[in-house]
Amino acid sequence: MKTLGNWLASPWRRSTIAALAGALPVFAFPAPSLWWFAYVALVPWIMLVRSAPTGKRAAYDGWFGGLGFMLAMHHWLLPSLHVFIFLIAALLGALWAPWGWLVRHFLAGTPARGRIAAALVVLPSGWLMAELVRSWQGLGGPWGMLGSSQWQVEPALRLASVGGVWLLSFLVVAVNVAVTVLVAVRESRIPAVAGLVATAAVTSAAWMWSPRPDTGGRTRIAVVQAGVIDGPDQRFAREEQLTRRLVGQDVDLIVWGESSVGFDLGDRPDLARRIADLSSATGADILVNVDARRSDKPGIYKSSVLVGPDGLTGERYDKMRLVPFGEYVPARSLLGWATSVGKAAGEDRRRGSEQVVMDVGHGLRVGPMVCFESAFPDMSRHLAQDGAELLIAQSATSTFQQSWAPEQHASLAALRAAESGRPMVHATLTGVSAVYDASGQRVGEWLGTDASTARVYDVPLATGTTLYVRFGDWTVHAALLVLAAWGAITGLGPLRRIRSAARDDASRPGRAGSGAGSRRPEEGVDAEGRRPTTTRQKRVPGPATPS
């Protein structure tokens, strides 16, 4: 053990090990999808951080571990962003530096049982703060939140309906902390076991008592996945061909993927007419996605546009949350050079102003999202609050076909469905396309990245309100309160010690009083200024005074 400590004394070696340890959780996500691994994946990282010789070194271990985690979760961006991905990972990784300091503070050495019990609450809360900050869309959004690794675990999906993906992240980190204590701090295994039991109890309670969606009725949704096709005209022709295969299949809505139409339909009435003819032939409205310069206002938008038998229905949603560098360059005056080293957007897309719930044919109300907006829990929650019966995400991951990105993206819809209690369709241009019911369970088969087809899904509808839709991100608010309470208690500690030292000082022999006005008496004089009567004093002759 001493030899290992000497080897890790090198800052570069330690930082490298921290980055590798931080990257381990990626195997819990698609494509490997080793969901169970998430519950122990943080243990090597935590073990390293708790051994840090100083708090500063622990913060560095947290930073480099966060760098490794972010780089592993977004490795598929390397061909597009090149060296810039390392800068982004380093920036986001810094969010875990305070968490690293907290890990050492609570777990270094042989912590007492009370400190372990506090760690089981404070450390997951600290992790959530890192996830909260990086969830801002300007920093890349909440892609790869630790709780998202549990997208195919039914009990975890039930928990998501209670506290969203935030609650899953909290519990996964808590389990990792408990396992670390069981391995490394056996003297404090009792609170660690209690933490594991509490996690199991929370999961069981959610399974038994949390409200379940009330299913009733079904809708037939067709997903048209064109596949990888070069050129907007060729792509449109393929989508038109696939849609004609749906004639006579009694579908309620047909969904095309993101950027399925490369021309503004106001400028191309011929294309709008062709889509309207398809709608008339199939008996269903068609939700397309237009990626083009608008004819009625300046700028390029990505928009979900509904087309019926009579043409454009007027229902339109403009994408609100854009992909940094992919669809716009943050602070372009400073970071515009990113376009010269990768595939960053040459021109910024424009943002929409509000979410939209569309009334489609057959009385169905749908809430569209575009691309990585499906990673944001609040967007699907608001659509459910606004009356959407079906959530739809139109996406395209054609740039990352041979990576883990398409499957990771498709898995997010399972969490959004479970959180909102509404079924969700994830329709892509090039795969992976997927459909989930209101509890997050898969409906039918995924359409992989090698598929170019149209598929019909019988989707069960649901009503009711989940606890997450009703109460929102309460897990995050609770984590903030935990950290605030811990900070207050920690801050009161030095104040108590100062007061205790003052009391001790006042009670020492030869000191009088305890108030601010007390003073040390003169030598040979008691506390009230009188000389002790038991002391024999020599009489000194003085001048006579008149009587």
Side-chain angles (χ1 to χ4, degrees), residues 113 116 120 181-182 185-196:
R113 292 180 178 180
I116 293 295
L120 292 171
V181 173
L182 290 175
V185 194
R186 297 183 181 179
E187 297 85 350
S188 302
R189 60 182 178 271
I190 292 179
V193 172
L196 293 175

Side-chain angles (χ1 to χ4, degrees), residues 224 239 255-261 287-289 394-396 427-429:
V224 173
E239 290 160 340
V255 184
W256 291 8
E258 180 188 11
S259 303
S260 49
V261 178
L287 186 67
V288 302
N289 189 270
Q394 295 173 295
S395 176
T428 70
L429 189 68

Side-chain angles (χ1 to χ4, degrees), residues 1 16 34 43 45 64 90 121 138 154 157 191 202 216 235 239 264 278 282 284 287 306 403 428 441 482 517:
M1 192 71 177
T16 301
L34 305 176
V43 172
W45 188 5
F64 280 92
V121 180
E154 191 171 355
L157 292 172
V202 168
R235 184 188 309 130
E239 290 160 340
D264 184 81
L278 292 172
T282 58
L287 186 67
L306 190 66
S403 72
T428 70
Q441 298 298 309
V482 165

Side-chain angles (χ1 to χ4, degrees), residues 179-341:
V179 171
T180 302
V181 173
L182 290 175
V183 172
V185 194
R186 297 183 181 179
E187 297 85 350
S188 302
R189 60 182 178 271
I190 292 179
V193 172
L196 293 175
V197 171
T199 301
V202 168
T203 304
S204 300
W207 180 267
M208 293 293 296
W209 293 307
S210 61
R212 284 174 165 77
D214 298 321
T215 57
R218 307 180 76 86
T219 184
R220 285 173 62 82
I221 306 297
V223 173
V224 173
Q225 181 174 300
V228 180
I229 299 175
D230 293 330
D233 291 315
Q234 293 84 348
R235 184 188 309 130
F236 188 94
R238 178 59 177 165
E239 290 160 340
E240 188 177 32
Q241 179 187 32
L242 293 172
T243 303
R244 290 197 180 280
R245 298 180 184 177
L246 299 171
V247 174
Q249 296 199 38
D250 192 28
V251 295
D252 298 318
L253 178 67
I254 301 170
V255 184
W256 291 8
E258 180 188 11
S259 303
S260 49
V261 178
F263 308 94
D264 184 81
L265 294 178
D267 272 345
R268 293 291 302 273
D270 57 318
L271 296 183
R273 184 69 260 165
R274 287 164 66 179
I275 299 172
D277 290 343
L278 292 172
S279 174
S280 179
T282 58
D285 288 350
I286 301 176
L287 186 67
V288 302
N289 189 270
V290 177
D291 183 2
R293 195 173 301 278
R294 293 267 301 253
S295 58
D296 56 341
K297 61 175 63 175
I300 301 174
Y301 288 80
K302 281 193 175 181
S303 307
S304 300
V305 178
L306 190 66
V307 183
D310 298 324
L312 300 177
T313 65
E315 300 276 18
R316 181 188 188 108
Y317 166 67
D318 296 324
K319 184 178 183 181
M320 298 171 61
R321 296 182 181 173
L322 305 177
V323 180
F325 298 99
E327 294 169 338
Y328 78 103
V329 175
R332 184 177 286 272
S333 59
L334 295 176
L335 303 177
W337 57 269
T339 59
S340 63
V341 298

Side-chain angles (χ1 to χ4, degrees), residues 383-461:
L383 287 171
Q385 289 177 321
D386 291 341
E389 300 171 275
L390 176 71
L391 304 177
I392 296 176
Q394 295 173 295
S395 176
T397 52
S398 53
T399 307
F400 314 107
Q401 286 297 93
Q402 306 305 317
S403 72
W404 295 353
E407 290 180 312
Q408 286 181 13
H409 201 177
S411 70
L412 295 175
L415 272 299
R416 303 293 87 83
E419 290 167 342
S420 63
R422 297 293 182 267
M424 183 161 182
V425 175
H426 180 78
T428 70
L429 189 68
T430 58
V432 171
S433 296
V435 178
Y436 302 91
D437 66 17
S439 62
Q441 298 298 309
R442 188 185 301 178
V443 176
E445 296 297 322
W446 278 8
L447 296 181
T449 55
D450 58 346
S452 176
T453 186
R455 180 76 56 85
V456 177
Y457 295 88
D458 285 309
V459 184
L461 298 175

